[in-house]
């Protein structure tokens, strides 16, 4: 592990700094080209009027030179032609303004290009480069525990560096046959239930963290293998009043007038586990129910019946069809309702029954009720179910 991680770290560092060199050279080349273009533009715009001024002056000098030669020729000519040449010379000289010159800008008004290059850039870059990157011998967080869930895995992690102050965690996973990890959770919690896990298949997990006030993520934890042997919870298909998701773990109460209890496909809830419902709310009704039962029974419109425990959407708790004195808060959108059960008494059969007792804990909106559920038969596994009178209710079970 040490040699493998050291080799991987060297490769990552070399690739990262190689990329930085290429990017830095590209940025410097782009900045140089931009500055050179500025020099070209200033040079062209500033020299154009001076070129035009120079052309006018050269033209005036050339004209004066031609006139001077013409005057010398008139003076040196024959007496017969001298008067005519002098007359022509005089006329031409009167039409040419030899004393007129274009305005020449003063020397201080003429641009003088220079480059201002601040050496502090090297100091800034030097300080940033010397602080860039770190090498850690151990990641600040590590995976701690995997708990099997029906069709999922509860992943827990913990901080192992006392000096590290985490702001966020990032959990990734991949199937054993996949080549790339994918994000499954980013947040401040130290545990997360990963759903849509195929039973009896290995999944690899890793976690990292982001320090308080920092943007970059820490090194990844040592990858670990997790799996679940529990089949996922599924709702029964075919009930007219409910539409199901493709994985059949989400049920939506549709507009159908049909009433009835939607049960699980199989008795997949076992004592010692936590059964969780998360819902989007619709219009409540006192006959609504979320809960577990010993057996499927058709012909009922609620789990408020014998051999079942449930919570109504208004928070009332029912045990074998009887409402308890204790009541939980009303079910709200996005909240979770959980059921936990453990066997507290398992005795021989008797004429009076009541030989099987389960300790039930129902939690909702940070409150819970605990009671004993007495049954006349041993139950290794239980069905779960729901019933809603009005459309709009949506329930995810896990």
């Amino acid at each position: 592990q040490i040699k493998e991680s050291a080799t991987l770290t060297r490769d990552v560092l070399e690739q990262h700094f190689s990329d930085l060199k290429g990017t830095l050279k590209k940025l410097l080349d782009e900045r140089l080209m931009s500055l050179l273009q500025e020099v070209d533009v200033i040079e062209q715009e500033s020299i154009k009027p001076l070129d035009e001024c120079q052309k006018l002056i050269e033209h005036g000098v050339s004209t004066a030179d031609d006139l001077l030669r013409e005057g010398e020729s008139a003076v040196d000519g024959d007496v017969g032609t001298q008067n005519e040449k002098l007359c022509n010379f005089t006329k031409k000289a009167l039409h040419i303004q030899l004393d007129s010159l274009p305005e020449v800008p003063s020397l201080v008004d003429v641009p003088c290009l220079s480059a201002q290059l601040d050496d502090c850039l090297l100091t800034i870059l030097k300080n940033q480069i010397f602080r860039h990157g770190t090498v850690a011998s151990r990641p600040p967080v590590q995976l701690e525990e995997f708990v099997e869930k029906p069709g999922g895995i509860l992943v827990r992690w913990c901080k192992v560096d006392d000096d590290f102050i985490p702001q966020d965690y990032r959990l990734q996973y991949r199937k054993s046959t996949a080549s790339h990890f994918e994000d499954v959770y980013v947040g401040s919690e130290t545990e997360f239930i990963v759903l849509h896990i195929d039973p009896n298949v290995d999944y690899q997990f890793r976690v990292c963290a982001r320090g308080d006030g920092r943007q970059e993520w820490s090194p990844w934890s040592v990858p670990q293998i997790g799996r679940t042997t529990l089949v996922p919870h599924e709702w029964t298909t075919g009930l007219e009043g409910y539409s199901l998701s493709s994985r059949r773990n989400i049920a939506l109460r549709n507009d159908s007038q049909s009433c009835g209890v939607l049960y699980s496909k199989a008795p997949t809830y076992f004592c010692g586990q936590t059964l969780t419902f998360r819902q989007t709310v619709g219009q409540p009704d006192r006959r609504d129910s979320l809960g577990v039962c010993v057996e499927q029974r058709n012909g009922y419109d609620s789990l408020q019946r014998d051999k079942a425990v449930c919570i109504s959407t208004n928070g009332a708790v029912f045990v074998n069809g009887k409402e308890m004195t204790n009541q939980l808060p009303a079910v709200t959108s996005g909240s979770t309702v959980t059921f936990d059960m453990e066997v507290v008494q398992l005795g021989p059969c008797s004429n009076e029954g009541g030989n099987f007792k389960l300790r039930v804990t129902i939690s909702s909106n940070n409150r819970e009720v605990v009671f004993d559920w007495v049954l006349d038969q041993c139950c290794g596994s239980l069905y779960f179910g729901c019933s809603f009178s009005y459309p709009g209710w949506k329930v995810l079970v896990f």
Side-chain angles (χ1 to χ4, degrees):
Q1 178 176 312
I2 295 175
K3 289 186 176 181
E4 182 180 350
S5 62
T7 300
L8 179 61
T9 301
R10 290 190 192 97
D11 293 341
V12 170
L13 288 172
E14 290 173 357
Q15 183 62 49
H16 177 74
F17 277 86
S18 176
D19 293 342
L20 280 181
K21 289 178 185 177
T23 303
L24 187 58
K25 183 180 184 304
K26 181 181 177 183
L27 292 174
L28 289 173
D29 289 344
E30 289 177 354
R31 182 57 180 163
L32 174 60
M33 290 302 300
S34 175
L35 292 173
L36 291 175
Q37 288 174 359
E38 284 188 43
V39 173
D40 293 342
V41 170
I42 295 174
E43 180 185 27
Q44 293 171 7
E45 292 179 349
S46 302
I47 209 167
K48 184 178 179 181
L50 294 179
D51 285 341
E52 293 175 352
C53 182
Q54 182 177 1
K55 289 178 182 178
L56 288 173
I57 292 174
E58 290 174 350
H59 177 71
V61 170
S62 176
T63 303
D65 191 46
D66 293 342
L67 186 61
L68 179 61
R69 284 194 295 270
E70 188 174 335
E72 290 174 347
S73 176
V75 172
D76 295 339
D78 299 342
V79 177
T81 60
Q82 191 176 34
N83 290 335
E84 182 180 356
K85 288 183 177 180
L86 285 172
C87 184
N88 290 335
F89 170 76
T90 303
K91 288 180 180 179
K92 182 179 285 189
L94 291 174
H95 286 88
I96 298 175
Q97 296 179 344
L98 295 177
D99 58 347
S100 176
L101 286 173
E103 182 180 359
V104 179
S106 63
L107 193 60
V108 295
D109 294 331
V110 177
C112 180
L113 278 73
S114 63
Q116 285 75 50
L117 301 172
D118 193 347
D119 289 340
C120 74
L121 175 63
L122 292 177
T123 303
I124 295 173
L125 286 175
K126 181 179 178 181
N127 292 335
Q128 291 294 329
I129 288 172
F130 283 169
R131 291 199 303 265
H132 182 69
T134 57
V135 175
S137 60
R138 289 180 178 84
V141 291
Q142 292 284 7
L143 295 168
E144 183 179 30
E145 184 182 16
F146 297 105
V147 180
E148 293 186 54
K149 296 288 182 180
I153 300 175
L154 172 62
V155 184
R156 292 193 175 103
W157 53 90
C158 63
K159 187 180 73 164
V160 294
D161 184 350
D162 293 336
D163 297 328
F164 184 79
I165 302 175
Q167 175 181 304
D168 292 308
Y169 297 99
R170 181 182 179 189
L171 178 67
Q172 289 189 336
Y173 83 131
R174 69 179 178 187
K175 212 170 186 177
S176 56
T177 55
S179 57
H180 298 289
F181 282 92
E182 61 180 272
D183 286 344
V184 70
Y185 173 76
V186 175
S188 59
E189 301 295 328
T190 56
E191 66 178 38
F192 183 75
I193 297 179
V194 183
L195 299 176
H196 305 156
I197 295 292
D198 295 331
N200 302 307
V201 174
D202 286 342
Y203 286 81
Q204 200 171 38
F205 295 85
R206 66 182 185 181
V207 67
C208 65
R210 181 161 49 196
D212 189 24
R214 304 186 69 89
Q215 295 297 319
E216 72 277 6
W217 291 100
S218 74
W220 290 106
S221 67
V222 177
Q224 294 189 40
I225 300 295
R227 62 156 46 199
T228 181
T229 58
L230 306 176
V231 297
H233 291 317
E234 293 182 13
W235 298 103
T236 299
T237 58
L239 189 61
E240 184 179 346
Y242 294 87
S243 305
L244 305 184
S245 64
S246 58
R247 289 183 175 267
R248 296 180 293 279
N249 61 337
I250 300 176
L252 171 65
R253 180 68 167 94
N254 55 36
D255 295 332
S256 171
Q257 297 299 315
S258 174
C259 292
V261 177
L262 177 66
Y263 293 102
S264 58
K265 179 181 178 181
T268 51
Y269 175 62
F270 296 89
C271 292
Q273 298 177 0
T274 297
L275 178 70
T276 304
F277 299 100
R278 182 176 296 149
Q279 56 280 317
T280 300
V281 302
Q283 181 180 342
D285 184 270
R286 66 181 186 84
R287 294 292 295 167
D288 293 341
S289 61
L290 281 167
V292 296
C293 56
V294 175
E295 58 193 6
Q296 295 179 341
R297 286 187 187 176
N298 297 323
Y300 287 84
D301 61 357
S302 176
L303 282 174
Q304 300 171 18
R305 60 167 177 79
D306 185 37
K307 294 187 178 180
V309 293
C310 67
I311 177 176
S312 178
T313 53
N314 63 7
V317 178
F318 291 85
V319 182
N320 291 332
K322 297 179 180 179
E323 184 175 353
M324 292 184 60
T325 304
N326 295 335
Q327 185 166 333
L328 291 169
V331 175
T332 56
S333 190
S335 67
T336 58
V337 176
T338 62
F339 287 76
D340 291 274
M341 299 189 186
E342 59 176 329
V343 179
V344 293
Q345 180 179 325
L346 182 60
C349 294
S350 65
N351 295 331
E352 298 177 358
N355 59 302
F356 189 70
K357 185 187 296 183
L358 296 176
R359 179 72 45 80
V360 181
T361 302
I362 306 177
S363 302
S364 177
N365 286 318
N366 297 319
R367 288 180 57 187
E368 64 180 31
V369 293
V370 181
F371 56 90
D372 288 341
W373 181 22
V374 179
L375 296 169
D376 58 5
Q377 62 187 92
C378 297
C379 295
S381 59
L382 297 165
Y383 290 88
F384 56 86
C386 68
S387 65
F388 301 101
S389 299
Y390 298 102
W393 288 91
K394 184 166 67 173
V395 181
L396 164 68
V397 59
F398 59 93

